[in-house]
Amino acid sequence: MSSDSTNRPIEHIAIIMDGNGRWAKKRALPRNMGHKKGAEVVKEICKAVEKAGIKYLTLYAFSTENWKRSKEEVSALMDLLRQYLASDLKELQEKGVRIRFIGERQMLDADIVESMNKLEAETLQNQKMTLCIALSYGSRQEIVSAAQKVSELVKRGDIAPKDIDENLFSAMLYTHDMPDPDILIRTSGEQRISNYLLWQLAYTEFFFTETLWPDFSEKELIKIIEDYQKRERRYGAIKA
Ligand code: FPP
């Protein structure tokens, strides 16, 4: 890997969309209204990423930990997702966006999984960009499940333990067909990774903004991209 890769084109942006609840609270609105506004921003940011010529956008829409939220909030989020699958994501599909999902599908309702599978299959050939939505996603679980897949290969005698390397392990992750993120953005002032893409973020540049997700905009995204281009990425190497 090159010792200073900031001049490489940005291939992948990952975002933790946080602060919907606080955005709604500030306006004395129910939390769901924050999620609804947040979903509108998803569409705007997806278009902005495509316009910037960036090929991959991965969004943390629902973590495995989010199942612990109140029944009402989980069910409102799932309804929003249903609507989103039927309208906004369809629109992105028509614009040539490939849509894929990462996470534990068995936790989701069957009709949602069916729509997800359909969208993935129908957009498989779309080249413009890939929108990856992390849904019922937890990175430790993803890593454990990769370890199980590798163990199966060893058990079957397909590979020997010494054949296990980073490339083989990466190939077992949900994200096997995507480059690692160049940029991670977390909104709302929190500075945590929250079990998101732990393996994939090894060399990623992190950007934390105070902006609540429903207030996040194309303008702020462009500013982050410009800041990224000023940073120096050395992947542990010493600059000559
Ligand atoms: C975090 O805000 C956000 C979520 C748990 C859900 C993110 C969902 C969306 C942006 C809308 C749906 C997206 C798609 C792709 C359909 P929070 O509720 O934790 O906010 P808080 O920390 O202020 O309470």
Side-chain angles (χ1 to χ4, degrees), residues 17-22 31 35 38-39 61 66 69 81 84 213:
M17 309 180 288
D18 200 3
N20 294 348
R22 275 163 285 166
R31 291 179 60 81
H35 295 316
N66 287 150
R69 294 197 175 190
L81 182 66
Y84 212 73
W213 176 252

Side-chain angles (χ1 to χ4, degrees), residues 13-219:
I13 296 184
I15 307 184
I16 302 177
M17 309 180 288
D18 200 3
N20 294 348
R22 275 163 285 166
W23 183 92
K25 196 170 177 206
K26 265 171 62 181
R27 288 161 180 78
L29 292 168
R31 291 179 60 81
N32 299 338
M33 295 307 288
H35 295 316
K36 193 158 178 275
K37 181 69 175 43
E40 287 167 23
V41 174
V42 166
K43 197 162 81 170
E44 183 195 330
I45 294 304
C46 188
K47 286 183 186 160
V49 165
E50 193 268 315
K51 209 164 91 189
I54 297 162
K55 287 285 183 191
Y56 296 89
L57 172 66
T58 299
L59 301 175
Y60 209 0
F62 196 86
S63 71
T64 43
E65 288 74 26
N66 287 150
W67 290 112
K68 294 184 203 135
R69 294 197 175 190
S70 75
K71 242 174 90 181
E72 292 71 32
E73 185 170 352
V74 169
S75 132
L77 268 167
M78 291 301 144
D79 281 344
L80 189 61
L81 182 66
R82 277 189 183 87
Q83 281 173 32
Y84 212 73
L85 285 161
S87 58
D88 299 59
L89 290 180
K90 274 265 166 218
E91 192 188 317
L92 292 171
Q93 168 180 13
E94 280 150 23
K95 287 196 181 345
V97 174
R98 181 182 170 201
I99 297 156
R100 65 191 300 278
F101 298 91
I102 55 173
E104 299 293 313
R105 292 182 197 209
Q106 63 270 26
M107 303 281 287
L108 297 159
D109 287 348
D111 67 304
I112 293 184
V113 177
E114 199 181 308
S115 305
M116 287 161 61
N117 289 341
K118 196 160 170 274
L119 259 179
E120 279 187 335
E122 287 175 3
T123 62
L124 195 61
Q125 305 301 331
N126 285 0
Q127 305 277 332
K128 223 173 205 178
M129 68 167 282
T130 296
L131 170 63
C132 174
I133 301 178
L135 208 58
S136 190
Y137 173 85
S139 183
R140 286 187 173 179
Q141 179 49 46
E142 178 186 29
I143 292 171
V144 167
S145 122
Q148 286 170 345
K149 288 180 203 160
V150 173
S151 314
E152 279 300 325
L153 292 178
V154 175
K155 193 173 145 204
R156 287 208 317 248
D158 292 350
I159 57 164
K162 67 170 171 39
D163 298 328
I164 303 168
D165 61 11
E166 290 186 16
N167 284 335
L168 181 97
F169 202 83
S170 297
M172 301 296 153
L173 298 170
Y174 296 134
T175 51
H176 58 88
D177 54 353
M178 306 203 295
D180 288 340
D182 304 289
I183 293 177
L184 170 82
I185 302 168
R186 181 169 189 150
T187 57
S188 92
E190 307 293 344
Q191 302 198 356
R192 290 187 299 276
I193 296 306
S194 301
N195 204 14
Y196 190 45
L197 304 173
L198 299 178
W199 172 281
Q200 298 87 340
L201 294 175
Y203 292 104
T204 302
E205 293 286 328
F206 289 7
F207 293 83
F208 298 103
T209 166
E210 293 293 322
T211 307
L212 304 174
W213 176 252
D215 291 326
F216 194 72
S217 62
E218 176 172 9
K219 194 167 163 231

